[in-house]
Amino acid sequence: MKTQVAIIGAGPSGLLLGQLLHKAGIDNIIIERQSPDYVLSRIRAGVLEQGMVDLLHEAGVSERMEQEGIVHDGFEMAFAGRRVRIDLKQLTGGKTVTVYGQTEVTRDLMQAREASGQITLYTVPDVALHDLKGENPKLTFTHNGEQVQLECDYIAGCDGFHGVARQSIPEDSIKTFERVYPFGWLGILADTPPVSEELIYASHERGFALCSMRSPTRTRYYLQVSLDEKVEDWSDERFWEELKRRLPADTAAKLVTGPSIEKSIAPLRSFVAEPMQYGRLFLVGDAAHIVPPTGAKGLNLAASDVSTLYRIMCKVYQEGRTDLLERYSEICLKRIWKAERFSWWMTSILHTFPDSDDFSQRIQSSELDYYVHSDAGLTTIAENYVGLPYEPID
Ligand code: APR
Ligand code: PHB
């Protein structure tokens, strides 16, 4: 088998890159470890920056998002029994975010992929990467019981944090940066109306809580929990009771509860691998970096990596600009580190840290109070939340 760009992973990064490359006439094949149903069963974040919305439009997969996505002009931060609104639109000169689930983005991309006729091989358990430093890199794997060799010009590692792409780079050619937080998020999905029209990020001494949504009839709520908590110990009733305790009383009084349709715990981590390339392999999205979910940046960062790699590939194939290839990592990392900083900061000011002393707690609440009562502070939060501009490639 032969293609121009071999893509490992059919998550949002791999599928979006594949779709954009296909539209530009660049042939690609996607190899995914799981089945399509498994990929669609993962519940992930749901807040899209305008840059990602525009990119989905460019890829020709924005129709349903434009109908069903909900544009949010602001969000709220709750603490000390009060709610403060961050008016994104007013503070950023008109920018907004769109609430539309990652699962739906993935579904739309899968449909477009099928319609495009480009090949996607699912349920491939054993992809291996070869000759990354040479001019003819290859993937080998088993498909339908047969050994396959896929020759290509370039490989895009879109295979997430636990994927094989980053692990195929020799240890002395990559440096990683990491922070693991001493808590996780317990999330539930429920068919209940949202407690408020906009998202509420709540800081409370019992721990952080987030009120989010997928639609006017489906909600997604999260609670900060300690790392030793088990999902089995959290009945729906216990979840709702704890959520109410962490919200301002008037908000808690309005909360509509109901049976959960999904419940899971995710750890929080900040992680960056540098550089994001090795020879003809390019890491994209979660394969190269992870953010804690507090700023809703994970999926959006994956989209800006895709945009950068896609634009470079277009210049390479259309104008012979192979010089741009070696700049991929440097261009991506500028924006990534700013989003890492924002996600770390949002996590730091809103969560309860188990090892924090009295002094640190006072500093933390005073920082939050300062930011939300200063125009400069609010503007800083807003411009990061809607997403910093994509870096130019040339
Ligand atoms: N071979 C083939 N596919 C693999 C392999 C492998 N060895 N390892 C992992 N994969 C697949 C996974 O099954 C998954 O479908 O790669 C895909 C990676 O998808 P994601 O983990 O969703 O990562 P990405 O596409 O970069 O999406 C961006 O940012 O913060 C997050 O929630 C956000 O998941 C989103 C992500
Ligand atoms: C979500 O809706 O799942 C969500 C929203 C905002 C976040 C994180 C997750 O910051």
Side-chain angles (χ1 to χ4, degrees), residues 14 24 93 108 140 145 278 330:
D108 297 344
T140 54
Y278 178 76
E330 167 204 327

Side-chain angles (χ1 to χ4, degrees), residues 58-73:
E58 192 176 344
V61 288
S62 60
E63 201 181 319
R64 200 161 63 95
M65 174 190 65
E66 273 151 18
Q67 282 164 13
E68 297 174 21
I70 315 169
V71 174
H72 282 207
D73 294 351

Side-chain angles (χ1 to χ4, degrees), residues 272 276 289 301 305 332-340:
V272 181
M276 292 165 58
H289 43 77
L301 273 187
D305 291 355
C332 290
L333 284 167
K334 274 195 204 173
R335 189 171 192 275
I336 288 163
W337 272 113
K338 289 180 192 132
E340 288 283 343

